[in-house]
Amino acid sequence: PEDGDVVPDAITIHFEGKAHRVPYRKGLSILNAAREAGLSPNSACEEGFCASCAAKRIKGKIVLANNDIYT
């Protein structure tokens, strides 16, 4: 995040037809936040290259550490 950005202490992940409010902290990936909350989303490379973990952002800002395919 850029200076001044607000980092939430929880995020909502819609997964398998349900909304899950999961804890979040700065530097944690959304994939890892989901896993730490007991969810098992699809993933393969875990680097943002294969798109198996692709998700739709409803609102907020997302920063990708590596991005070769997402817009």
Side-chain angles (χ1 to χ4, degrees):
E2 297 174 17
D3 288 342
D5 283 350
V6 175
V7 177
D9 60 0
I11 57 175
T12 301
I13 298 174
H14 296 266
F15 181 67
E16 294 183 339
K18 297 179 183 174
H20 304 268
R21 186 153 174 85
V22 303
Y24 183 79
R25 62 187 179 277
K26 183 177 181 177
L28 185 65
S29 71
I30 293 171
L31 178 60
N32 284 331
R35 286 180 175 159
E36 287 182 10
L39 304 176
S40 300
N42 290 333
S43 64
C45 75
E46 299 186 17
E47 295 292 330
F49 297 115
C50 72
S52 70
C53 66
K56 179 181 178 182
R57 176 185 55 89
I58 305 285
K59 68 179 181 177
K61 180 179 179 183
I62 297 173
V63 177
L64 300 171
N66 300 308
N67 182 21
D68 286 338
I69 54 176
Y70 299 109
T71 60

